[in-house]
Amino acid sequence: MTMSNGSNGSTENKPFRIFVGYDPREDLAYQVCRHSITKRSSIPVSITPIVQSDLRKAGLYWRERNPLESTEFSFTRFLTPHLSNYQGWAMFVDCDFLYLADIKQLVDLIDDRYAIMCVQHDYTPKETTKMDGAVQTVYPRKNWSSMVLYNCGHPKNKALDPETVNTQTGAFLHRFQWLEDEEIGSVPFVWNFLEGHNCVVEGDPSTKPKAVHYTRGGPWFDAWKDCEFADLWLGEMDEYVKEKNKKEAGIAN
């Protein structure tokens, strides 16, 4: 695959970089998300979990945990351009996603004019809690930061250095306040299809999810075993577990 390397104008044949938010409580969600991407991808991808403990050991993250942070990657996600050496394009995505389409279709939407691209939801959650009882906060541009294509080479994204990510407010980061509105590109909502909020319109294939986001809580939590699209996630999990067991049996032999 030949990709533009953002604002530096060069091209390179490298796997598309994907950083997935990781929380030890949701390891299975991460594994299934990863499996769903790699299984369907027609292009090479490099998938890296953003693990807070590793970033702390590396001296890249030292922020104190806020009680309102529902996951360990609430803020570490914004280190994506830094972890990409401020070069090329990369994607951050929460671990509670299930990909149902080829990631190449998303990569093909990349436009070098923008500093970032994301689904620009107009979303106010009805629930007061999510996942395993975490507080459901409400703020402008809610869920925009849950899946972001970063033009890591864009000059404006150099603002996302470790110092900024560790000291700036949640509002500054999650609302993309280091950018002007016109520097934020839009992606169709089906790439961040919010379970329980977005709807499939019968007879309209453009509303069919390409990536389901279990933002309220996914089937890996007992309280959300019966959420919408739970059957798709559980089917993907079964496939992942079977492949994992097969590999482990092969190594043992």
Side-chain angles (χ1 to χ4, degrees), residues 42-70:
S42 65
I43 59 173
V45 292
S46 168
I47 300 179
T48 305
I50 291 188
V51 182
Q52 188 183 119
S53 58
D54 291 346
L55 295 172
R56 288 188 183 279
K57 287 174 190 169
L60 295 175
Y61 194 73
W62 56 89
R63 190 173 188 129
E64 284 188 24
R65 180 82 182 253
N66 183 302
L68 292 178
E69 292 177 44
S70 58

Short mmCIF file of all heavy atoms in Angstrom, two decimals, residues 42-70:
data_model
loop_
_atom_site.label_atom_id
_atom_site.label_comp_id
_atom_site.label_asym_id
_atom_site.label_seq_id
_atom_site.Cartn_x
_atom_site.Cartn_y
_atom_site.Cartn_z
N SER A 42 -7.77 -5.88 3.97
CA SER A 42 -7.10 -6.26 2.72
C SER A 42 -5.77 -5.54 2.56
O SER A 42 -5.08 -5.72 1.55
CB SER A 42 -8.01 -5.96 1.53
OG SER A 42 -8.23 -4.56 1.41
N ILE A 43 -5.41 -4.71 3.54
CA ILE A 43 -4.13 -4.00 3.53
C ILE A 43 -3.36 -4.38 4.80
O ILE A 43 -3.96 -4.79 5.80
CB ILE A 43 -4.32 -2.46 3.48
CG1 ILE A 43 -5.13 -1.98 4.70
CG2 ILE A 43 -4.96 -2.03 2.17
CD1 ILE A 43 -5.24 -0.48 4.83
N PRO A 44 -2.03 -4.26 4.75
CA PRO A 44 -1.28 -4.55 5.97
C PRO A 44 -1.57 -3.52 7.06
O PRO A 44 -1.65 -2.33 6.77
CB PRO A 44 0.19 -4.48 5.53
CG PRO A 44 0.20 -3.80 4.21
CD PRO A 44 -1.15 -3.94 3.61
N VAL A 45 -1.76 -3.98 8.28
CA VAL A 45 -2.00 -3.09 9.40
C VAL A 45 -1.05 -3.44 10.54
O VAL A 45 -0.63 -4.58 10.69
CB VAL A 45 -3.46 -3.16 9.90
CG1 VAL A 45 -4.42 -2.60 8.86
CG2 VAL A 45 -3.86 -4.58 10.28
N SER A 46 -0.73 -2.42 11.32
CA SER A 46 0.08 -2.60 12.53
C SER A 46 -0.77 -2.15 13.70
O SER A 46 -1.12 -0.97 13.79
CB SER A 46 1.36 -1.76 12.43
OG SER A 46 2.02 -1.70 13.67
N ILE A 47 -1.15 -3.07 14.59
CA ILE A 47 -2.06 -2.75 15.69
C ILE A 47 -1.29 -2.79 17.01
O ILE A 47 -0.66 -3.78 17.35
CB ILE A 47 -3.24 -3.73 15.73
CG1 ILE A 47 -4.03 -3.64 14.41
CG2 ILE A 47 -4.15 -3.43 16.91
CD1 ILE A 47 -5.21 -4.59 14.31
N THR A 48 -1.37 -1.67 17.74
CA THR A 48 -0.64 -1.52 19.00
C THR A 48 -1.61 -1.11 20.10
O THR A 48 -2.32 -0.11 19.96
CB THR A 48 0.45 -0.43 18.87
OG1 THR A 48 1.30 -0.74 17.78
CG2 THR A 48 1.25 -0.31 20.15
N PRO A 49 -1.64 -1.86 21.21
CA PRO A 49 -2.47 -1.41 22.34
C PRO A 49 -1.80 -0.25 23.06
O PRO A 49 -0.57 -0.24 23.24
CB PRO A 49 -2.54 -2.65 23.23
CG PRO A 49 -1.28 -3.40 22.94
CD PRO A 49 -0.95 -3.12 21.49
N ILE A 50 -2.57 0.76 23.43
CA ILE A 50 -2.04 1.86 24.23
C ILE A 50 -2.24 1.48 25.69
O ILE A 50 -3.35 1.56 26.23
CB ILE A 50 -2.73 3.20 23.89
CG1 ILE A 50 -2.33 3.64 22.49
CG2 ILE A 50 -2.39 4.26 24.91
CD1 ILE A 50 -2.78 5.04 22.10
N VAL A 51 -1.17 1.01 26.32
CA VAL A 51 -1.22 0.49 27.69
C VAL A 51 -0.66 1.55 28.64
O VAL A 51 0.52 1.91 28.56
CB VAL A 51 -0.40 -0.82 27.81
CG1 VAL A 51 -0.50 -1.38 29.22
CG2 VAL A 51 -0.87 -1.84 26.78
N GLN A 52 -1.50 2.04 29.53
CA GLN A 52 -1.10 3.14 30.39
C GLN A 52 0.13 2.81 31.24
O GLN A 52 1.04 3.64 31.38
CB GLN A 52 -2.26 3.56 31.31
CG GLN A 52 -1.96 4.83 32.09
CD GLN A 52 -3.06 5.21 33.06
OE1 GLN A 52 -2.84 5.28 34.26
NE2 GLN A 52 -4.26 5.45 32.54
N SER A 53 0.19 1.60 31.80
CA SER A 53 1.33 1.24 32.66
C SER A 53 2.65 1.29 31.89
O SER A 53 3.68 1.72 32.42
CB SER A 53 1.12 -0.14 33.27
OG SER A 53 0.95 -1.12 32.26
N ASP A 54 2.62 0.88 30.61
CA ASP A 54 3.83 0.94 29.79
C ASP A 54 4.25 2.38 29.52
O ASP A 54 5.45 2.72 29.53
CB ASP A 54 3.61 0.23 28.45
CG ASP A 54 3.46 -1.28 28.60
OD1 ASP A 54 3.79 -1.80 29.69
OD2 ASP A 54 3.01 -1.94 27.64
N LEU A 55 3.26 3.25 29.28
CA LEU A 55 3.56 4.66 29.02
C LEU A 55 4.13 5.33 30.27
O LEU A 55 5.01 6.19 30.18
CB LEU A 55 2.31 5.40 28.56
CG LEU A 55 1.73 4.95 27.20
CD1 LEU A 55 0.40 5.62 26.96
CD2 LEU A 55 2.71 5.28 26.07
N ARG A 56 3.64 4.93 31.43
CA ARG A 56 4.18 5.48 32.68
C ARG A 56 5.64 5.04 32.87
O ARG A 56 6.49 5.87 33.25
CB ARG A 56 3.33 5.02 33.87
CG ARG A 56 1.96 5.70 33.93
CD ARG A 56 1.21 5.39 35.22
NE ARG A 56 -0.12 5.98 35.24
CZ ARG A 56 -0.38 7.26 35.54
NH1 ARG A 56 0.60 8.07 35.88
NH2 ARG A 56 -1.62 7.71 35.54
N LYS A 57 5.91 3.77 32.59
CA LYS A 57 7.30 3.29 32.72
C LYS A 57 8.23 4.01 31.76
O LYS A 57 9.40 4.24 32.06
CB LYS A 57 7.35 1.78 32.44
CG LYS A 57 6.77 0.93 33.55
CD LYS A 57 6.72 -0.53 33.13
CE LYS A 57 5.92 -1.36 34.11
NZ LYS A 57 5.63 -2.71 33.59
N ALA A 58 7.71 4.37 30.60
CA ALA A 58 8.52 5.06 29.58
C ALA A 58 8.63 6.56 29.84
O ALA A 58 9.32 7.27 29.10
CB ALA A 58 7.92 4.82 28.20
N GLY A 59 7.96 7.05 30.88
CA GLY A 59 8.02 8.47 31.21
C GLY A 59 7.17 9.35 30.29
O GLY A 59 7.35 10.57 30.26
N LEU A 60 6.24 8.72 29.57
CA LEU A 60 5.39 9.49 28.64
C LEU A 60 4.06 9.88 29.27
O LEU A 60 3.35 10.74 28.73
CB LEU A 60 5.13 8.67 27.38
CG LEU A 60 6.34 8.36 26.50
CD1 LEU A 60 5.94 7.45 25.35
CD2 LEU A 60 6.95 9.65 25.97
N TYR A 61 3.73 9.25 30.38
CA TYR A 61 2.43 9.53 31.00
C TYR A 61 2.58 9.54 32.51
O TYR A 61 3.04 8.56 33.11
CB TYR A 61 1.40 8.48 30.57
CG TYR A 61 -0.03 8.89 30.88
CD1 TYR A 61 -0.67 9.88 30.15
CD2 TYR A 61 -0.74 8.27 31.91
CE1 TYR A 61 -1.98 10.25 30.44
CE2 TYR A 61 -2.05 8.63 32.20
CZ TYR A 61 -2.66 9.62 31.45
OH TYR A 61 -3.96 9.99 31.73
N TRP A 62 2.19 10.65 33.12
CA TRP A 62 2.31 10.77 34.56
C TRP A 62 1.07 11.43 35.19
O TRP A 62 1.04 11.75 36.36
CB TRP A 62 3.55 11.58 34.92
CG TRP A 62 3.62 12.96 34.29
CD1 TRP A 62 3.11 14.13 34.80
CD2 TRP A 62 4.23 13.31 33.04
NE1 TRP A 62 3.36 15.17 33.94
CE2 TRP A 62 4.04 14.71 32.85
CE3 TRP A 62 4.91 12.58 32.06
CZ2 TRP A 62 4.51 15.38 31.72
CZ3 TRP A 62 5.36 13.25 30.93
CH2 TRP A 62 5.18 14.64 30.77
N ARG A 63 0.06 11.60 34.41
CA ARG A 63 -1.17 12.25 34.86
C ARG A 63 -1.85 11.43 35.97
O ARG A 63 -1.93 10.21 35.87
CB ARG A 63 -2.10 12.40 33.66
CG ARG A 63 -3.31 13.26 33.90
CD ARG A 63 -4.08 13.46 32.59
NE ARG A 63 -5.12 14.44 32.78
CZ ARG A 63 -5.30 15.49 32.01
NH1 ARG A 63 -4.53 15.70 30.95
NH2 ARG A 63 -6.27 16.35 32.27
N GLU A 64 -2.37 12.10 37.00
CA GLU A 64 -3.10 11.40 38.05
C GLU A 64 -4.48 11.01 37.54
O GLU A 64 -5.10 11.75 36.78
CB GLU A 64 -3.23 12.29 39.31
CG GLU A 64 -1.96 12.38 40.11
CD GLU A 64 -2.18 13.10 41.44
OE1 GLU A 64 -3.33 13.10 41.93
OE2 GLU A 64 -1.21 13.64 41.97
N ARG A 65 -4.97 9.86 37.98
CA ARG A 65 -6.27 9.36 37.54
C ARG A 65 -7.39 10.22 38.13
O ARG A 65 -7.45 10.44 39.33
CB ARG A 65 -6.43 7.89 37.95
CG ARG A 65 -7.75 7.23 37.54
CD ARG A 65 -7.71 6.78 36.12
NE ARG A 65 -8.97 6.18 35.69
CZ ARG A 65 -9.15 4.87 35.49
NH1 ARG A 65 -8.16 4.02 35.71
NH2 ARG A 65 -10.31 4.41 35.05
N ASN A 66 -8.28 10.68 37.25
CA ASN A 66 -9.46 11.44 37.66
C ASN A 66 -10.63 10.47 37.86
O ASN A 66 -10.78 9.53 37.06
CB ASN A 66 -9.78 12.46 36.56
CG ASN A 66 -10.94 13.37 36.92
OD1 ASN A 66 -12.05 12.92 37.20
ND2 ASN A 66 -10.69 14.67 36.92
N PRO A 67 -11.45 10.66 38.88
CA PRO A 67 -12.57 9.74 39.12
C PRO A 67 -13.54 9.64 37.93
O PRO A 67 -14.25 8.63 37.80
CB PRO A 67 -13.29 10.36 40.34
CG PRO A 67 -12.26 11.22 41.00
CD PRO A 67 -11.35 11.70 39.94
N LEU A 68 -13.58 10.65 37.08
CA LEU A 68 -14.50 10.63 35.95
C LEU A 68 -13.95 9.85 34.75
O LEU A 68 -14.65 9.64 33.76
CB LEU A 68 -14.83 12.07 35.51
CG LEU A 68 -15.67 12.88 36.49
CD1 LEU A 68 -15.89 14.30 35.97
CD2 LEU A 68 -17.01 12.20 36.77
N GLU A 69 -12.68 9.42 34.82
CA GLU A 69 -12.10 8.64 33.73
C GLU A 69 -12.66 7.22 33.78
O GLU A 69 -12.38 6.47 34.70
CB GLU A 69 -10.58 8.60 33.84
CG GLU A 69 -9.90 9.95 33.61
CD GLU A 69 -8.39 9.86 33.80
OE1 GLU A 69 -7.78 8.89 33.30
OE2 GLU A 69 -7.84 10.75 34.47
N SER A 70 -13.44 6.86 32.77
CA SER A 70 -14.07 5.54 32.78
C SER A 70 -13.13 4.43 32.33
O SER A 70 -13.38 3.25 32.59
CB SER A 70 -15.33 5.54 31.92
OG SER A 70 -15.03 5.92 30.59
#
